[in-house]
Amino acid sequence: MDITIHTSFLPHDDPEASLVFYRDVLGFEVRSDVGSGKMRWITVGPVGQPDTRILLAPPLADPGATDEERRVIREMMAKGTYGWIVLATPDLDGVFEKVQAGDVEVVQEPVEQPYGIRDCAFRDPAGNMVRIQEVR
């Protein structure tokens, strides 16, 4: 089989803050920005990797979601337990310094994990966990 990951989803509750984080701090390019106000679907991705995309979407826009489901989603986003993604770089320390300078919430500074991965972690403006692993 020939299967690739086309698009990964992350929720956002503030499209402008998400753009600042993914475009300005991480350096991703904006591929599309559809909608208006807080109901925007923004596709971003790493420069030079046109087949890799992250869709930043308003999670409460699903017309099939119940009021209770929307409440739970809001609570999980506030706690940072609703969405997460793992990125990779050969220069973890350099990326950490650049991202940290972007006035974001640092969850974990670069550290060697007991399972053999060196990584760090941040939260994006919506509370999503963004882990960055070092590629060796």
Side-chain angles (χ1 to χ4, degrees), residues 18-33:
S18 291
L19 274 173
V20 167
F21 180 77
Y22 287 95
R23 180 193 59 213
D24 302 339
V25 175
L26 290 182
F28 287 179
E29 60 187 10
V30 177
R31 310 259 172 82
S32 68
D33 187 344

Side-chain angles (χ1 to χ4, degrees), residues 107-130:
V107 176
Q108 173 200 299
E109 293 188 7
V111 66
E112 185 75 33
Q113 300 291 355
Y115 43 86
I117 301 285
R118 185 166 184 265
D119 70 354
C120 64
F122 301 91
R123 289 205 194 285
D124 78 1
N128 298 307
M129 178 70 69
V130 178

